[in-house]
Amino acid sequence: MAIHFLNCFTCNARVPSRFQSGALCLLIETGQGLVLVDTGLGQEDYLHRVAMHRIFQAVMIVPMNPEEAAARQVTRLGYRPEDVRHIVLTHMHFDHCGGLPDFPHARVHVHRREYEAFLGRPRRGTDLAYVRRHVAHGPHLELYDDTGESWFDLAAIRLPFEPEMWLVPLPGHTRGHCGVAVKTETGWLFHVGDAAPIGLDDKMPRWLVRLVLGPHEWRLREFQAAHRDVQVTTGHMWLDFFA
Ligand SMILES: [Zn+2]
């Protein structure tokens, strides 16, 4: 079993401070074929930019390099895009699900509340990061509801893959935002998506974290301190993580 860490969206912001990051997508070999956790931008996004791409490109200094599209990286790793049988989404912002159309055969696993938020009327600023065309190809969706199960002490939903994987609801950044836990050969990988600041570091003021990323930061820090054998990753990581 291998987990590949893909950077599918580089940002080089210089204000308020130097902020070189990449959006982390996981490509996981499982008994059910390749599972991709989040997709980054899609190939179409590089050709036809929507307002949200242009805003991000200007503010976050995004190089918009089409070689970062997950489908291209999958190919460079020696697989075919069709080998990606499943996609698990932390949430449906454009920088996390823009690549869905590049994998039209994949089943898309997402929390029901997230899909409803994606389809619904925007209720807050971060809802503007949903781009409807990302599901215009009509992907096969597997929608999840809370089940009362848990992973460690966190409410979680078991995903149908081996090795064991869990969807861990962490709503706040978006209404149906989830983390994804993956059993590895040495312990666990817990990808918390955009529920915590980059690399769980504490450079960002707490009020801003709460406003933009939701209420889980503190709990996730405590979780990490209590479970040193669990590798915690975030939806955006410092560029040197990918080196
Ligand atoms: Zn987001």
Side-chain angles (χ1 to χ4, degrees), residues 56 90-96 126 129 173-174 177 193-194 212-213 236:
F56 252 78
T90 60
H91 64 302
M92 297 188 70
H93 281 165
F94 73 97
D95 51 332
H96 295 261
T126 53
H173 176 61
T174 62
H177 182 283
D194 285 357
V212 180
L213 304 178
H236 301 264

Side-chain angles (χ1 to χ4, degrees), residues 72-160:
R72 297 225 187 160
Q73 299 197 56
V74 164
T75 306
R76 282 204 295 280
L77 286 168
Y79 304 107
R80 299 165 306 161
E82 309 87 270
D83 296 333
V84 175
R85 305 284 302 281
H86 302 274
I87 294 173
V88 180
L89 296 175
T90 60
H91 64 302
M92 297 188 70
H93 281 165
F94 73 97
D95 51 332
H96 295 261
C97 81
L100 288 180
D102 295 336
F103 304 95
H105 305 290
R107 282 177 183 245
V108 178
H109 303 256
V110 63
H111 200 287
R112 185 182 304 277
R113 279 197 298 274
E114 182 61 17
Y115 190 60
E116 287 172 356
F118 174 85
L119 292 180
R121 229 181 255 173
R123 287 201 217 154
R124 46 177 286 179
T126 53
D127 289 349
L128 299 174
Y130 291 132
V131 176
R132 290 280 179 90
R133 78 167 187 218
H134 290 149
V135 298
H137 60 295
H140 185 120
L141 292 163
E142 303 280 355
L143 300 179
Y144 291 86
D145 297 294
D146 298 342
T147 57
E149 299 165 281
S150 47
W151 173 74
F152 287 94
D153 53 349
L154 300 167
I157 304 158
R158 178 80 194 262
L159 290 162

Side-chain angles (χ1 to χ4, degrees), residues 162-174:
E162 288 299 333
E164 209 176 315
M165 286 176 65
W166 294 82
L167 202 54
V168 182
L170 298 169
H173 176 61
T174 62

Side-chain angles (χ1 to χ4, degrees), residues 17-33:
S17 56
R18 213 170 132 79
F19 185 93
Q20 289 191 300
S21 68
L24 174 60
C25 301
L26 311 173
L27 184 69
I28 306 166
E29 293 171 3
T30 76
Q32 290 68 41

Side-chain angles (χ1 to χ4, degrees), residues 178-189:
C178 289
V180 180
V182 186
K183 183 110 182 74
T184 67
E185 274 144 27
T186 52
W188 288 91
L189 173 68

